Amino acid sequence: MNTKWSDEEVAIIEEMACLYTVKQIAYCLKRKGYTRSTSAIQNKLRFLGYSTRPILDNYNCCEIARVLQLNSATVWTWVKKGWIRTTRSSGSRYHQIRSKDLKQFLQNPPQSIKSRIAAIDKDAIEYLVGRLE
């Protein structure tokens, strides 16, 4: 079933594209009386040139590992060695990695892992931090 997207639906997803998840966009559309699946919204976002991932500034080691198809212990090792800067909220035991710190690490990795970083899928890196220069 291919229902044509109304101008209002397109305006809503364009407004929410970079700040909200696909599920949140679907919920907002539903509240306005539209019914779209998350996969339909993902396809429309891609067609319009938007990422399907909201722009978030922080990641944890597991998120980075999943996207880059690495073991989370590998990313955690990079953090422990001080190669990637992290932040923690007071009282939190979880480390957050800012997008700009991850990008800096990926652009200038230590010599010992340069070849490993070079082998990572460029689309995965772009998904996390944008295009590397």
Side-chain angles (χ1 to χ4, degrees):
M1 174 171 123
N2 279 342
T3 306
K4 187 172 173 6
W5 286 80
S6 72
D7 292 340
E8 185 182 10
E9 284 177 295
V10 173
I12 291 168
I13 66 169
E14 284 186 322
E15 179 181 327
M16 298 181 75
C18 294
L19 302 174
Y20 296 92
T21 65
V22 173
K23 285 184 180 181
Q24 289 170 321
I25 295 170
Y27 178 75
C28 181
L29 286 172
K30 188 175 181 180
R31 281 191 10 235
K32 303 247 184 199
Y34 300 106
T35 306
R36 296 289 180 173
S37 68
T38 54
S39 60
I41 294 168
Q42 285 176 331
N43 289 338
K44 190 63 172 180
L45 284 168
R46 285 188 190 111
F47 177 79
L48 294 170
Y50 292 100
S51 171
T52 57
R53 183 183 189 290
I55 297 172
L56 302 174
D57 195 37
N58 295 324
Y59 303 100
N60 64 37
C61 293
C62 292
E63 290 171 325
I64 293 169
R66 182 182 48 78
V67 173
L68 299 181
Q69 297 180 352
L70 300 168
N71 189 311
S72 59
T74 301
V75 178
W76 179 238
T77 299
W78 296 343
V79 168
K80 286 192 301 188
K81 288 185 175 188
W83 293 346
I84 304 175
R85 288 181 16 166
T86 65
T87 57
R88 282 198 294 187
S89 303
S90 61
S92 174
R93 62 187 184 115
Y94 298 106
H95 291 261
Q96 292 290 305
I97 300 168
R98 291 186 304 191
S99 181
K100 70 176 191 168
D101 293 328
L102 179 60
K103 186 173 188 172
Q104 182 179 355
F105 166 75
L106 293 170
Q107 285 176 324
N108 302 303
Q111 189 65 37
S112 60
I113 61 166
K114 267 193 181 197
S115 60
R116 185 167 192 185
I117 298 299
I120 295 174
D121 179 26
K122 302 299 180 220
D123 289 337
I125 292 173
E126 190 171 328
Y127 175 80
L128 287 173
V129 297
R131 193 171 302 273
L132 296 179
E133 287 116 31

